[in-house]
PDB file of all heavy atoms in Angstrom:
ATOM      1  N   MET A   1      29.022  -7.419 -39.291  1.00 55.00           N
ATOM      2  CA  MET A   1      28.983  -7.067 -40.700  1.00 55.00           C
ATOM      3  C   MET A   1      27.738  -6.205 -40.947  1.00 55.00           C
ATOM      4  O   MET A   1      27.851  -5.010 -41.141  1.00 55.00           O
ATOM      5  CB  MET A   1      28.952  -8.335 -41.533  1.00 55.00           C
ATOM      6  CG  MET A   1      29.161  -8.104 -42.973  1.00 55.00           C
ATOM      7  SD  MET A   1      29.446  -9.701 -43.727  1.00 55.00           S
ATOM      8  CE  MET A   1      28.746  -9.395 -45.282  1.00 55.00           C
ATOM      9  N   PHE A   2      26.590  -6.814 -40.988  1.00 66.00           N
ATOM     10  CA  PHE A   2      25.346  -6.060 -41.101  1.00 66.00           C
ATOM     11  C   PHE A   2      24.785  -5.935 -39.695  1.00 66.00           C
ATOM     12  O   PHE A   2      24.701  -6.917 -38.960  1.00 66.00           O
ATOM     13  CB  PHE A   2      24.333  -6.777 -41.998  1.00 66.00           C
ATOM     14  CG  PHE A   2      24.792  -6.888 -43.430  1.00 66.00           C
ATOM     15  CD1 PHE A   2      25.089  -8.120 -43.986  1.00 66.00           C
ATOM     16  CD2 PHE A   2      24.903  -5.765 -44.221  1.00 66.00           C
ATOM     17  CE1 PHE A   2      25.493  -8.230 -45.297  1.00 66.00           C
ATOM     18  CE2 PHE A   2      25.304  -5.869 -45.524  1.00 66.00           C
ATOM     19  CZ  PHE A   2      25.606  -7.095 -46.071  1.00 66.00           C
ATOM     20  N   ASP A   3      24.359  -4.759 -39.355  1.00 78.00           N
ATOM     21  CA  ASP A   3      23.816  -4.548 -38.017  1.00 78.00           C
ATOM     22  C   ASP A   3      22.294  -4.575 -38.103  1.00 78.00           C
ATOM     23  O   ASP A   3      21.645  -3.538 -38.130  1.00 78.00           O
ATOM     24  CB  ASP A   3      24.327  -3.222 -37.460  1.00 78.00           C
ATOM     25  CG  ASP A   3      24.083  -3.096 -35.974  1.00 78.00           C
ATOM     26  OD1 ASP A   3      23.884  -4.141 -35.333  1.00 78.00           O
ATOM     27  OD2 ASP A   3      24.119  -1.966 -35.462  1.00 78.00           O
ATOM     28  N   ILE A   4      21.766  -5.790 -38.189  1.00 79.00           N
ATOM     29  CA  ILE A   4      20.313  -5.957 -38.298  1.00 79.00           C
ATOM     30  C   ILE A   4      19.824  -6.620 -37.005  1.00 79.00           C
ATOM     31  O   ILE A   4      20.276  -7.704 -36.649  1.00 79.00           O
ATOM     32  CB  ILE A   4      19.930  -6.828 -39.513  1.00 79.00           C
ATOM     33  CG1 ILE A   4      20.418  -6.160 -40.800  1.00 79.00           C
ATOM     34  CG2 ILE A   4      18.446  -7.065 -39.555  1.00 79.00           C
ATOM     35  CD1 ILE A   4      20.181  -6.977 -42.042  1.00 79.00           C
ATOM     36  N   GLY A   5      18.913  -5.950 -36.321  1.00 87.00           N
ATOM     37  CA  GLY A   5      18.363  -6.491 -35.082  1.00 87.00           C
ATOM     38  C   GLY A   5      17.096  -7.293 -35.343  1.00 87.00           C
ATOM     39  O   GLY A   5      16.636  -7.451 -36.490  1.00 87.00           O
ATOM     40  N   TRP A   6      16.503  -7.831 -34.256  1.00 87.00           N
ATOM     41  CA  TRP A   6      15.303  -8.637 -34.389  1.00 87.00           C
ATOM     42  C   TRP A   6      14.125  -7.824 -34.903  1.00 87.00           C
ATOM     43  O   TRP A   6      13.306  -8.325 -35.669  1.00 87.00           O
ATOM     44  CB  TRP A   6      14.950  -9.283 -33.055  1.00 87.00           C
ATOM     45  CG  TRP A   6      15.880 -10.418 -32.719  1.00 87.00           C
ATOM     46  CD1 TRP A   6      16.885 -10.409 -31.835  1.00 87.00           C
ATOM     47  CD2 TRP A   6      15.870 -11.706 -33.320  1.00 87.00           C
ATOM     48  NE1 TRP A   6      17.527 -11.614 -31.831  1.00 87.00           N
ATOM     49  CE2 TRP A   6      16.907 -12.448 -32.741  1.00 87.00           C
ATOM     50  CE3 TRP A   6      15.086 -12.312 -34.300  1.00 87.00           C
ATOM     51  CZ2 TRP A   6      17.192 -13.756 -33.099  1.00 87.00           C
ATOM     52  CZ3 TRP A   6      15.373 -13.619 -34.644  1.00 87.00           C
ATOM     53  CH2 TRP A   6      16.414 -14.332 -34.047  1.00 87.00           C
ATOM     54  N   SER A   7      14.038  -6.581 -34.507  1.00 90.00           N
ATOM     55  CA  SER A   7      12.906  -5.759 -34.967  1.00 90.00           C
ATOM     56  C   SER A   7      12.963  -5.539 -36.476  1.00 90.00           C
ATOM     57  O   SER A   7      11.929  -5.578 -37.155  1.00 90.00           O
ATOM     58  CB  SER A   7      12.877  -4.424 -34.225  1.00 90.00           C
ATOM     59  OG  SER A   7      14.069  -3.696 -34.465  1.00 90.00           O
ATOM     60  N   GLU A   8      14.166  -5.346 -37.047  1.00 90.00           N
ATOM     61  CA  GLU A   8      14.288  -5.172 -38.496  1.00 90.00           C
ATOM     62  C   GLU A   8      13.923  -6.467 -39.223  1.00 90.00           C
ATOM     63  O   GLU A   8      13.316  -6.449 -40.304  1.00 90.00           O
ATOM     64  CB  GLU A   8      15.706  -4.735 -38.883  1.00 90.00           C
ATOM     65  CG  GLU A   8      16.012  -3.276 -38.538  1.00 90.00           C
ATOM     66  CD  GLU A   8      16.725  -3.140 -37.206  1.00 90.00           C
ATOM     67  OE1 GLU A   8      17.004  -4.173 -36.563  1.00 90.00           O
ATOM     68  OE2 GLU A   8      16.981  -2.012 -36.798  1.00 90.00           O
ATOM     69  N   LEU A   9      14.322  -7.606 -38.660  1.00 84.00           N
ATOM     70  CA  LEU A   9      13.972  -8.885 -39.286  1.00 84.00           C
ATOM     71  C   LEU A   9      12.455  -9.116 -39.300  1.00 84.00           C
ATOM     72  O   LEU A   9      11.913  -9.641 -40.280  1.00 84.00           O
ATOM     73  CB  LEU A   9      14.665 -10.048 -38.553  1.00 84.00           C
ATOM     74  CG  LEU A   9      16.165 -10.206 -38.811  1.00 84.00           C
ATOM     75  CD1 LEU A   9      16.736 -11.315 -37.940  1.00 84.00           C
ATOM     76  CD2 LEU A   9      16.439 -10.510 -40.270  1.00 84.00           C
ATOM     77  N   VAL A  10      11.787  -8.728 -38.260  1.00 90.00           N
ATOM     78  CA  VAL A  10      10.322  -8.876 -38.212  1.00 90.00           C
ATOM     79  C   VAL A  10       9.680  -8.004 -39.281  1.00 90.00           C
ATOM     80  O   VAL A  10       8.761  -8.443 -40.004  1.00 90.00           O
ATOM     81  CB  VAL A  10       9.782  -8.535 -36.806  1.00 90.00           C
ATOM     82  CG1 VAL A  10       8.260  -8.435 -36.811  1.00 90.00           C
ATOM     83  CG2 VAL A  10      10.241  -9.566 -35.801  1.00 90.00           C
ATOM     84  N   VAL A  11      10.164  -6.766 -39.446  1.00 91.00           N
ATOM     85  CA  VAL A  11       9.621  -5.865 -40.467  1.00 91.00           C
ATOM     86  C   VAL A  11       9.853  -6.441 -41.855  1.00 91.00           C
ATOM     87  O   VAL A  11       8.957  -6.442 -42.717  1.00 91.00           O
ATOM     88  CB  VAL A  11      10.232  -4.448 -40.333  1.00 91.00           C
ATOM     89  CG1 VAL A  11       9.854  -3.571 -41.513  1.00 91.00           C
ATOM     90  CG2 VAL A  11       9.816  -3.807 -39.032  1.00 91.00           C
ATOM     91  N   ILE A  12      11.085  -6.967 -42.112  1.00 88.00           N
ATOM     92  CA  ILE A  12      11.379  -7.564 -43.417  1.00 88.00           C
ATOM     93  C   ILE A  12      10.476  -8.774 -43.660  1.00 88.00           C
ATOM     94  O   ILE A  12       9.950  -8.979 -44.762  1.00 88.00           O
ATOM     95  CB  ILE A  12      12.874  -7.948 -43.513  1.00 88.00           C
ATOM     96  CG1 ILE A  12      13.747  -6.680 -43.529  1.00 88.00           C
ATOM     97  CG2 ILE A  12      13.153  -8.790 -44.737  1.00 88.00           C
ATOM     98  CD1 ILE A  12      15.218  -6.942 -43.413  1.00 88.00           C
ATOM     99  N   GLY A  13      10.264  -9.615 -42.654  1.00 87.00           N
ATOM    100  CA  GLY A  13       9.386 -10.789 -42.783  1.00 87.00           C
ATOM    101  C   GLY A  13       7.953 -10.406 -43.092  1.00 87.00           C
ATOM    102  O   GLY A  13       7.310 -11.036 -43.940  1.00 87.00           O
ATOM    103  N   VAL A  14       7.418  -9.373 -42.442  1.00 90.00           N
ATOM    104  CA  VAL A  14       6.034  -8.929 -42.684  1.00 90.00           C
ATOM    105  C   VAL A  14       5.904  -8.379 -44.093  1.00 90.00           C
ATOM    106  O   VAL A  14       4.950  -8.697 -44.815  1.00 90.00           O
ATOM    107  CB  VAL A  14       5.607  -7.896 -41.618  1.00 90.00           C
ATOM    108  CG1 VAL A  14       4.284  -7.234 -42.006  1.00 90.00           C
ATOM    109  CG2 VAL A  14       5.499  -8.544 -40.260  1.00 90.00           C
ATOM    110  N   VAL A  15       6.866  -7.577 -44.545  1.00 90.00           N
ATOM    111  CA  VAL A  15       6.818  -7.016 -45.902  1.00 90.00           C
ATOM    112  C   VAL A  15       6.908  -8.140 -46.925  1.00 90.00           C
ATOM    113  O   VAL A  15       6.200  -8.136 -47.944  1.00 90.00           O
ATOM    114  CB  VAL A  15       7.937  -5.970 -46.102  1.00 90.00           C
ATOM    115  CG1 VAL A  15       8.071  -5.550 -47.559  1.00 90.00           C
ATOM    116  CG2 VAL A  15       7.710  -4.766 -45.226  1.00 90.00           C
ATOM    117  N   ALA A  16       7.799  -9.149 -46.697  1.00 88.00           N
ATOM    118  CA  ALA A  16       7.925 -10.276 -47.623  1.00 88.00           C
ATOM    119  C   ALA A  16       6.633 -11.083 -47.655  1.00 88.00           C
ATOM    120  O   ALA A  16       6.205 -11.534 -48.725  1.00 88.00           O
ATOM    121  CB  ALA A  16       9.103 -11.154 -47.207  1.00 88.00           C
ATOM    122  N   LEU A  17       6.012 -11.299 -46.512  1.00 87.00           N
ATOM    123  CA  LEU A  17       4.758 -12.048 -46.460  1.00 87.00           C
ATOM    124  C   LEU A  17       3.671 -11.326 -47.234  1.00 87.00           C
ATOM    125  O   LEU A  17       2.909 -11.959 -47.987  1.00 87.00           O
ATOM    126  CB  LEU A  17       4.337 -12.251 -44.992  1.00 87.00           C
ATOM    127  CG  LEU A  17       3.083 -13.072 -44.756  1.00 87.00           C
ATOM    128  CD1 LEU A  17       3.266 -14.491 -45.269  1.00 87.00           C
ATOM    129  CD2 LEU A  17       2.732 -13.082 -43.282  1.00 87.00           C
ATOM    130  N   ILE A  18       3.604 -10.009 -47.127  1.00 90.00           N
ATOM    131  CA  ILE A  18       2.584  -9.236 -47.844  1.00 90.00           C
ATOM    132  C   ILE A  18       2.912  -9.175 -49.325  1.00 90.00           C
ATOM    133  O   ILE A  18       2.034  -9.360 -50.176  1.00 90.00           O
ATOM    134  CB  ILE A  18       2.450  -7.822 -47.242  1.00 90.00           C
ATOM    135  CG1 ILE A  18       1.899  -7.910 -45.818  1.00 90.00           C
ATOM    136  CG2 ILE A  18       1.550  -6.945 -48.095  1.00 90.00           C
ATOM    137  CD1 ILE A  18       1.927  -6.596 -45.074  1.00 90.00           C
TER     138      ILE A  18
END
Side-chain angles (χ1 to χ4, degrees):
M1 191 168 148
F2 295 113
D3 194 20
I4 299 176
W6 286 104
S7 61
E8 286 96 1
L9 285 175
V10 170
V11 171
I12 292 171
V14 169
V15 170
L17 183 62
I18 294 171

